[in-house]
Amino acid sequence: MNQDHNTPFITESIQDKVATISFYSPASNSFPSSQLEKLTSIITKLSSNTHINTIILKSEGTGAFCAGASFDELLSIKDTTTGQTFFSGFANVINAMRKSPKIFIGRVHGKTVGGGVGLAAACDYCFATTNASIKLSELAIGIGPFVIEPAVSRKIGKTAFTEMSLAAHEWKTATWAQNHGLYSEVYDTVDRLDLEVETFATKISSYNPEALCEMKKIFWEGTDHWTELLHQRAEISGRLVLSEFTINALNQFKAK
């Protein structure tokens, strides 16, 4: 696949009953709003495809799995409406994943921060490598992991979420993430990771699609209010991103 690795992109492919979505950004696989919008659109389209029942979510490169929100775009936000719209991008992706009748398998090959942790948490089953440390750094830049909190807390519990949020400068290991339920399996190498993801996806895709759809509903019971909740949370982030604290912190992070 020939892609311009100076430009963000998202690709989709289908093999048998398994779809794969792969995203990339030269800025450590962080997400500008256009990428979030495209990812939501692809998830929605694949969710209505009756020929598949499993979707693998992965990113390209050998570095970070996902660095969360694009700092450049965060710094470009000048009003609360634009801010809410940007953070609603993550809300839309998470809601699209939870509403989808397909089973989402996460393939997390490297470190993931903020919104990336939210994406991993929104997967129904997540594979990772020992390099896939996680961090919720939002408080360190003056905002908070508001939009992704329901998805992350659903997976690791409110106590572990609180620990991650307050220790905003601290990386949690892949083993920690597995012990707290974010990752289902952790492997030493990317080659082993890819083998296990492919094997698992093939097995899942062989199951009765009606049964998988009904199970997906059970997995996400009690989340119907998230459509409204996550957009309310996006409003909080959209307001805080305009604060002097956040603007200064973002500039300091970019200067490192």
Side-chain angles (χ1 to χ4, degrees), residues 19-256:
T20 299
I21 301 173
S22 184
F23 61 89
Y24 173 79
S25 166
S28 300
N29 286 327
S30 59
F31 275 97
S33 57
S34 59
Q35 286 284 86
L36 292 168
E37 185 177 344
K38 184 174 182 181
L39 180 57
T40 301
S41 176
I42 290 174
I43 290 171
T44 302
K45 181 182 69 173
L46 291 174
S47 294
S48 64
N49 187 331
T50 56
H51 300 293
I52 65 170
N53 51 25
T54 308
I55 299 175
I56 297 170
L57 182 63
K58 59 178 288 190
S59 64
E60 297 291 334
T62 58
F65 166 73
C66 179
S70 165
F71 276 19
D72 286 336
E73 188 154 350
L74 289 179
L75 282 167
S76 74
I77 295 171
K78 302 302 180 185
D79 59 80
T80 55
T81 300
T82 304
Q84 181 174 8
T85 299
F86 174 78
F87 287 102
S88 290
F90 281 101
N92 292 335
V93 171
I94 292 172
N95 278 320
M97 292 174 71
R98 75 171 178 86
K99 291 178 181 178
S100 173
K102 314 304 179 185
I103 300 299
F104 277 80
I105 300 172
R107 182 251 193 208
V108 184
H109 69 273
K111 289 182 175 180
T112 187
V113 183
V117 179
L119 292 183
C123 290
D124 301 297
Y125 203 96
C126 213
F127 293 83
T129 69
T130 50
N131 293 325
S133 302
I134 58 174
K135 180 167 66 172
L136 295 180
S137 60
E138 286 88 340
L139 279 175
I141 58 172
I143 53 177
F146 300 109
V147 172
I148 65 170
E149 179 276 322
V152 178
S153 289
R154 171 181 166 273
K155 270 293 178 72
I156 71 174
K158 190 75 75 173
T159 300
F161 171 79
T162 301
E163 181 180 334
M164 280 193 73
S165 299
L166 294 180
H169 291 88
E170 179 182 325
W171 288 100
K172 298 294 188 183
T173 67
T175 300
W176 187 94
Q178 182 182 21
N179 289 340
H180 287 82
L182 181 67
Y183 299 150
S184 302
E185 310 285 347
V186 174
Y187 300 103
D188 291 333
T189 68
V190 171
D191 287 343
R192 178 71 187 281
L193 171 72
D194 287 334
L195 175 63
E196 297 295 342
V197 168
E198 181 181 357
T199 300
F200 188 78
T202 300
K203 286 180 180 177
I204 293 295
S205 68
S206 70
Y207 298 159
N208 182 347
E210 292 183 35
L212 289 173
C213 182
E214 293 301 325
M215 286 302 299
K216 181 70 181 263
K217 294 176 184 177
I218 292 173
F219 295 159
W220 290 88
E221 276 180 348
T223 63
D224 289 346
H225 65 295
W226 280 22
T227 299
E228 181 179 357
L229 173 64
L230 299 194
H231 287 286
Q232 291 173 344
R233 297 288 184 83
E235 188 279 328
I236 300 173
S237 295
R239 171 167 43 85
L240 289 172
V241 77
L242 297 172
S243 69
E244 182 179 357
F245 185 107
T246 298
I247 293 170
N248 290 337
L250 286 171
N251 280 313
Q252 289 174 9
F253 267 83
K254 281 198 66 180
K256 289 182 178 180

